[in-house]
Amino acid sequence: MDVDTHGEHLVYLYCVTAQPPNLDEARDQFGELYCVCEAGLCAVVSQVQAGEFGQPGLRRNLDDLGWVAAETTRHERIVEMVCRDRCVIPFRFATLFTADESVQTLLRADCEEFTALLHQLDSKAEWGVKAYCDPETLRDCVCTRDGAISELDETIRLASSGKAFLLRKKRDELAKAALAGRTDQYAERIVEVLHGVSVETRIRRVLPRGPTQGHGAMILNSAFLVGEDNTRRFLDTVTTLNEGYAEDGVVVECSGPWPPYNFCDLAKKVIDG
Amino acid sequence: MDSAVATEKDVTLLELLDRVLDKGVIVSGDIVISVADVDLIYVGLRVLLGSIETMERLRGSAV
């Protein structure tokens, strides 16, 4: 790992395809990209400055959100352009090698897995599905429909202030329990329905409230691998889910098509450099 | 045309980072930051993008 990076170039790997893609458009926007081919596979790479992407430069740059935003966008745009006419295996941001030969070594070492994966992913795309709920709308909706809570509300209305205070605590607990179960049910139902119109499903961790503010609380973060001939049906199903849940304060957001970042699990993830 | 589908403009940086930093094939090339480093960076970015409250909470647990 201790490589002298002074004044050198590194090889940045974006994605792997079966056939060399047309890189003209990507080159116009992002500079000199080229292909490293080996074992019936083709890696799309570019040379990057060691000072920028080698350690400790990379570590420093990763603290700079502006740099990260620009470079991850560049990574994604390049993969997307290749993705338009080729099935791709996208790599994680900043997968770096010292030379083209090292990329060839990787392709040779993992050629069977890469080839099988490309076959699985052919004519399919990833769609991201996130569901959010507005807690207040959902709480009102759940409480109105819950017999026990409605009954308790009526008792509280007629109770003395001391008793009402205690009963309200009980009501809060009931409402909390009903809500916790409910958001899980929405998430499970959404996954179940969309699983029926897709090839594979990945459940991701729910992201924290901060970055997604404005949408309510995230209750589901998922990805679906959808056959190209089934895209319309998948999107129509998302629309139908939204229509059904509007009253409950639940919104299903769909983004895509994405390169299949979530569907590239290799059995062997690490090779020896 | 389809209100359920986020347009390119709506795709937030977080959505991008959620994939590009966190997913995709992970191999160790000759010289890469370790997977653990990327995870820390990811947490760090969520801190930057998040609210003050989230920032305080993650800062407390990540450092």
Side-chain angles (χ1 to χ4, degrees), chain A residues 232-249:
Chain A
R232 191 71 256 161
R233 202 168 151 222
F234 182 84
L235 296 178
D236 286 346
T237 307
V238 172
T239 305
T240 308
L241 281 168
N242 267 317
E243 286 164 1
Y245 289 152
E247 200 180 295
D248 306 42

Side-chain angles (χ1 to χ4, degrees), chain A residues 221-271:
Chain A
N221 186 12
S222 57
F224 295 84
L225 189 66
V226 180
E228 276 167 7
D229 53 357
N230 219 16
T231 307
R232 191 71 256 161
R233 202 168 151 222
F234 182 84
L235 296 178
D236 286 346
T237 307
V238 172
T239 305
T240 308
L241 281 168
N242 267 317
E243 286 164 1
Y245 289 152
E247 200 180 295
D248 306 42
V250 173
V251 176
V252 186
E253 275 188 3
C254 184
S255 71
W258 291 94
Y261 284 100
N262 281 286
F263 299 94
C264 291
D265 317 307
L266 296 183
K268 189 180 68 169
K269 284 191 176 173
V270 178
I271 59 155

Side-chain angles (χ1 to χ4, degrees), chain A residues 115-269:
Chain A
T115 305
L117 194 53
L118 282 167
H119 189 68
Q120 279 171 39
L121 296 171
D122 190 33
S123 303
K124 300 177 190 85
E126 176 176 323
W127 290 83
V129 172
K130 290 177 166 62
Y132 301 88
C133 92
D134 175 49
E136 281 173 25
T137 311
L138 182 62
R139 194 190 306 120
D140 291 346
C141 167
V142 166
C143 290
T144 311
R145 288 181 199 166
D146 188 306
I149 294 174
S150 302
E151 216 169 278
L152 196 56
D153 280 339
E154 186 60 18
T155 316
I156 290 170
R157 207 172 58 82
L158 301 169
S160 67
S161 65
K163 197 178 177 193
F165 176 77
L166 292 173
L167 288 174
R168 256 186 228 110
K169 279 195 149 181
K170 190 183 170 190
R171 185 202 190 271
D172 287 347
E173 277 168 26
L174 279 177
K176 204 174 160 188
L179 276 170
R182 195 57 66 100
T183 51
D184 287 349
Q185 283 168 23
Y186 286 116
E188 281 164 21
R189 181 69 189 145
I190 292 164
V191 168
E192 188 187 326
V193 169
L194 292 178
H195 187 68
V197 284
S198 59
V199 182
E200 272 191 78
T201 304
R202 292 281 184 278
I203 310 295
R204 307 286 317 277
R205 63 192 159 188
V206 167
L207 300 171
R209 182 75 197 267
T212 56
Q213 242 155 13
H215 298 84
M218 192 185 289
I219 60 170
L220 172 69
N221 186 12
S222 57
F224 295 84
L225 189 66
V226 180
E228 276 167 7
D229 53 357
N230 219 16
T231 307
R232 191 71 256 161
R233 202 168 151 222
F234 182 84
L235 296 178
D236 286 346
T237 307
V238 172
T239 305
T240 308
L241 281 168
N242 267 317
E243 286 164 1
Y245 289 152
E247 200 180 295
D248 306 42
V250 173
V251 176
V252 186
E253 275 188 3
C254 184
S255 71
W258 291 94
Y261 284 100
N262 281 286
F263 299 94
C264 291
D265 317 307
L266 296 183
K268 189 180 68 169
K269 284 191 176 173

Side-chain angles (χ1 to χ4, degrees), chain A residues 16 31 34 86 88 113 121-122 148:
Chain A
V16 165
Y34 61 100
R86 289 281 182 272
V88 308
E113 269 198 282
L121 296 171
D122 190 33

